[in-house]
Amino acid sequence: MSARRSRVPGGDGGSHGGLGDGFHDGVQAGERARGAAAGCEGGSLCRGTTGTVFRAGNAAARVLLVGEEPGDREDRRGEPFVGPAGRLLTRAMDEAGIDPDDTYVTNAVKHFTFTRSGGGRRRIHRPPSLRELTACGPWLEAEPREVDPDVVVALGASAGKAPLGSSFRVTRERGYRRGLPGREGTALVATVHPSAVLRAGEDRDAVYPGLVADPRVAAEALND
């Protein structure tokens, strides 16, 4: 990769509809963006949740990891990737040659999307809809500007569709390095979501190596 681009101190921010063009187009301080996200009701995504789950990690990271959406545990704690999928992701990044301390983690959708079962007591994850991805799109568009990573790793189908469009298929396009649309000098590599590995059951040992091999492509981009 070429030399690092200039940064704004504390570059942890975001944008959303109703904040004004200056906020949407500019790089803003993290607490303002986090507060705006907490008040966001775009698409009524926060209905039935504890609120938005914003990003976390090293704000000067060279790698931005983008998942699908918070899970039940993340929603309750208000942090991304704090459950079993997060632990598996940390392990895979380490094995791929990406320092977990040099990553920033976020999700394409900032709210937990779910259906209810068990008489309404249990919240069961469901993939976000195109409408929900679109509603959270401005936040995800702002994050590469503010974190200024060299590489974005898209974890799963929804994370890939957010920047690449609805025709994206993770099974077909994973493990390839390409440019991040609208962000010159930033690479994009897609792989499966770690939760897909956890759901593989008896095939988990066969699926897990892909979660390591694909991000290795991202690790190689860091050395270019």
Side-chain angles (χ1 to χ4, degrees):
M1 277 295 197
S2 59
R4 297 285 286 154
R5 298 174 291 276
S6 61
R7 296 185 175 279
V8 173
D12 174 12
S15 63
H16 208 289
L19 296 177
D21 291 341
F23 192 101
H24 182 87
D25 295 333
V27 175
Q28 298 294 324
E31 289 309 310
R32 182 180 174 189
R34 192 179 299 273
C40 165
E41 295 183 1
S44 299
L45 298 182
C46 58
R47 186 176 298 148
T49 73
T50 60
T52 56
V53 178
F54 220 55
R55 53 191 183 268
N58 179 359
R62 298 184 67 194
V63 180
L64 176 63
L65 304 174
V66 181
E68 178 180 86
E69 63 171 78
D72 182 78
R73 190 173 306 191
E74 286 79 8
D75 177 56
R76 296 180 190 282
R77 287 185 52 177
E79 301 174 49
F81 287 100
V82 295
R87 291 191 292 272
L88 189 66
L89 178 62
T90 297
R91 173 188 159 195
M93 293 304 105
D94 188 50
E95 292 181 17
I98 296 175
D99 182 356
D101 291 332
D102 195 21
T103 64
Y104 213 40
V105 294
T106 189
N107 283 295
V109 170
K110 311 306 183 191
H111 300 267
F112 179 36
T113 63
F114 60 91
T115 58
R116 291 193 179 273
S117 68
R121 294 187 299 273
R122 295 181 59 209
R123 302 188 303 174
I124 307 300
H125 160 271
R126 66 164 175 79
S129 66
L130 179 60
R131 180 182 66 85
E132 290 159 339
L133 284 168
T134 301
C136 283
W139 296 113
L140 192 61
E141 291 170 8
E143 285 170 318
R145 293 199 303 266
E146 296 155 13
V147 179
D148 195 22
D150 289 328
V151 184
V152 173
V153 178
L155 303 164
S158 295
K161 287 178 180 179
L164 297 175
S166 59
S167 64
F168 172 82
R169 297 292 182 270
V170 67
T171 53
R172 185 176 64 220
E173 302 181 56
R174 59 183 293 185
Y176 292 100
R177 175 181 169 183
R178 71 190 75 201
L180 179 67
R183 186 68 182 170
E184 184 178 356
T186 301
L188 173 67
V189 178
T191 187
V192 296
H193 195 283
S195 64
V197 179
L198 295 176
R199 291 194 301 266
E202 295 180 355
D203 295 327
R204 186 178 300 180
D205 290 343
V207 176
Y208 175 74
L211 185 61
V212 176
D214 297 336
R216 270 202 193 111
V217 176
E220 292 168 1
L222 296 176
N223 298 320
D224 287 356

